[in-house]
Amino acid sequence: MTTPQHPSFPPRRPRRGPNAEEGDGRAADHAPVVAHGASDGRPGAGHGHTHAHGPAAPVSRHLRKVIAAILIPFGAAVLVGLAVLWPGGAPSHERTGVGFDRQTQQATVTKVVELSCQSVNASGGTPTGDTSTAEGSSAVQQAKGECKRATIRVDTGDDKGRTFEEIVQPDQSRQLHEGQEVVVAYEPSAPKDLQYSVTDINRRLPLSLLAGIFALAVVVVGRLRGLMALVSLAISFLLLNFFILPAILQGSNPLVVAVIGSSAIMLIALYLCHGLSARTSVAVLGTLISLLLIGVLGSIFIGWAALTGNTDDNTGLIHGLYPSIDMSGLLLAGVIIGSLGVLDDVTVTQTSAVWELHEANPTMGWRGLYRAGIRIGRDHIASVVNTLVLAYAGAALPLLLLFSIAQSGVGTVANSELVAEEIVRTLVGSIGLVASVPVTTALAALVVSADRPAGGAAPAAGATAATGPGAPARGGRGRRRKH
């Protein structure tokens, strides 16, 4: 593509030197272009070459010191928090045999025989299925229809190779077939012929295959950054499983644990994926400010709305096993952690947008950068908020269907604690996301526009800052080739 001419530029001459193919028709003595080649022997050539091929124009030493003065103490505080609160593992307890708190083993259905449900009941058989559910209990009362007698072999644990039989009722949602891999629960205190029962289907193969397809797609499209994103995702899961969850179970304040854990995940994910740079640091600052806002708003409205966080069987089981856990604090911790992933996306996008706008026009002041960046951010706000609301609505769809069946009014539905939790979670997270756009855009505009290298010229324009209004568009293009 040919760059528009400007009267103040000298006539163009052919590019020479090892990097002549990158000239794109630009003037040979234009400062950023000279920096790419060494044919003229000027001392600044090697330095300019390094800057032009980096992911972003470097900022001055003064700004690096300012950013470091903020983020280094923050990073140190996160490390101290991790060291102080790091648990030795989840505390042990005696299993209750209820819900997820059951001993489970892997098993395989070896044989399935159809028979009359009436004959099963008449012969004194045990028409169970999963009797811990309402469906399993109602199936015991059935006396009509075609049932199935499944023979299941235990494949793991001390009883490996042991078989047992289970009757599957016709109205059960989970039907068994020969060769199917299942998960069975073990209750040692039950009679021997009732110690094992099928609780679920073994889905490891399809889930593993889907995860592999996802990882392949991320690496193929994202290349090195995609690979780094997968590494950061793995580290996030490790922190969740080995720090956040065990620390909460050991009695640490869920809010403090969530803040420290989320901060560690944020620092690792952003710097690992986007590099150690001023641009990434600005995104970190924007994310941190937004997380603080979410934490404050969440704490206020969860307390004001008297949300206990104990609204279903799972939270009730947690509260029963660990009464010391602050369930409302656990709810707030979930709001913070759930908002973090979307916040990273918004802050990184806004920071990159401002940086690219500055590289395209280095003469633009911080107000101009902010106005241009916020126009991009408004589109981002609309899509992200809609995404977040629909994500929570989709997760709560069965609950919403129950309210619809009961023909409850909107006010009644919204006032119930189960739905009110989701409303507070959604709105607090959305407010934090909306606030992150102007906050991050303003930070990025201030940092990139205030930056001045030692020579006093804008870094993006290099030596061409004084060549006229046509120079900015030319100065930024060499750097953007690597974005």
Side-chain angles (χ1 to χ4, degrees), residues 142-480:
Q142 290 189 6
K144 297 181 180 180
E146 291 294 324
C147 295
K148 295 178 181 178
R149 177 186 286 119
T151 303
I152 297 117
R153 182 189 67 239
V154 180
D155 296 331
T156 59
D158 296 336
D159 291 331
K160 182 178 179 179
R162 175 177 168 181
T163 61
F164 66 96
E165 291 185 346
E166 184 163 296
I167 301 300
V168 182
Q169 301 293 334
D171 64 339
Q172 284 184 225
S173 59
R174 182 179 59 245
Q175 296 292 313
L176 303 179
H177 57 80
E178 190 171 331
Q180 188 174 29
E181 294 184 348
V182 295
V183 178
V184 295
Y186 175 62
E187 178 50 61
S189 62
K192 188 172 183 179
D193 57 341
L194 298 177
Q195 287 181 334
Y196 283 96
S197 62
V198 176
T199 61
D200 213 336
I201 306 300
N202 189 336
R203 303 180 179 90
R204 292 185 178 181
L205 180 59
L207 293 180
S208 300
L209 180 60
L210 183 60
I213 295 172
F214 163 74
L216 180 63
V218 170
V219 173
V220 168
V221 177
R223 299 186 181 180
L224 181 59
R225 287 202 176 186
L227 180 61
M228 290 298 99
L230 292 177
V231 173
S232 67
L233 181 63
I235 294 174
S236 299
F237 275 111
L238 289 176
L239 281 172
L240 184 65
N241 288 322
F242 292 99
F243 172 69
I244 295 177
L245 298 179
I248 292 175
L249 290 178
Q250 285 193 348
S252 299
N253 187 296
L255 178 58
V256 175
V257 171
V259 169
I260 293 174
S262 298
S263 299
I265 290 172
M266 173 187 65
L267 291 172
I268 293 171
L270 288 179
Y271 283 118
L272 190 61
C273 294
H274 304 286
L276 189 63
S277 65
R279 176 190 294 192
T280 307
S281 298
V282 171
V284 168
L285 287 173
T287 304
L288 175 61
I289 294 172
S290 303
L291 279 178
L292 290 175
L293 176 62
I294 289 173
V296 171
L297 286 177
S299 179
I300 292 173
F301 284 95
I302 287 175
W304 194 2
L307 299 178
T308 63
N310 188 3
T311 54
D312 56 24
D313 293 339
N314 294 327
T315 54
L317 179 60
I318 293 172
H319 185 64
L321 294 173
Y322 299 95
S324 61
I325 292 180
D326 179 10
M327 299 304 294
S328 60
L330 188 63
L331 173 62
L332 180 56
V335 173
I336 294 174
I337 295 173
S339 303
L340 178 61
V342 189
L343 272 178
D344 288 352
D345 170 45
V346 173
T347 55
V348 168
T349 301
Q350 287 304 115
T351 305
S352 297
V354 172
W355 239 264
E356 292 296 328
L357 287 167
H358 177 69
E359 290 188 13
N361 186 2
T363 62
M364 188 183 295
W366 80 267
R367 287 186 177 87
L369 287 171
Y370 177 80
R371 285 195 295 266
I374 206 68
R375 285 195 293 270
I376 298 172
R378 290 190 185 106
D379 290 336
H380 209 174
I381 287 173
S383 60
V384 168
V385 169
N386 195 46
T387 299
L388 192 65
V389 171
L390 290 179
Y392 284 125
L397 197 58
L399 176 65
L400 297 178
L401 282 174
L402 287 177
F403 280 111
S404 179
I405 292 171
Q407 297 183 350
S408 301
V410 175
T412 303
V413 172
N415 192 64
S416 66
E417 184 173 0
L418 201 56
V419 176
E421 277 189 8
E422 300 302 326
I423 292 175
V424 171
R425 192 196 311 269
T426 302
L427 296 183
V428 167
S430 298
I431 291 171
L433 290 175
V434 171
S436 70
V437 172
V439 167
T440 308
T441 305
L443 284 173
L446 287 171
V447 168
V448 78
S449 63
D451 183 35
R452 292 293 184 272
T464 65
T467 59
R474 309 179 100 162
R477 182 159 30 182
R479 284 183 299 273
R480 294 180 65 189

Side-chain angles (χ1 to χ4, degrees), residues 1-6 9 12 23-26 470 473-474 477:
M1 183 176 72
T2 303
T3 306
Q5 298 295 316
H6 191 279
F9 283 11
R12 287 180 290 180
D24 290 335
R26 286 174 286 186
R474 309 179 100 162
R477 182 159 30 182

Side-chain angles (χ1 to χ4, degrees), residues 59-84:
V59 299
S60 64
R61 180 177 298 179
H62 173 70
L63 275 180
R64 288 200 299 268
K65 287 182 178 179
V66 172
I67 294 172
I70 298 173
L71 289 182
I72 289 179
F74 170 66
V78 172
L79 289 176
V80 170
L82 287 172
V84 170

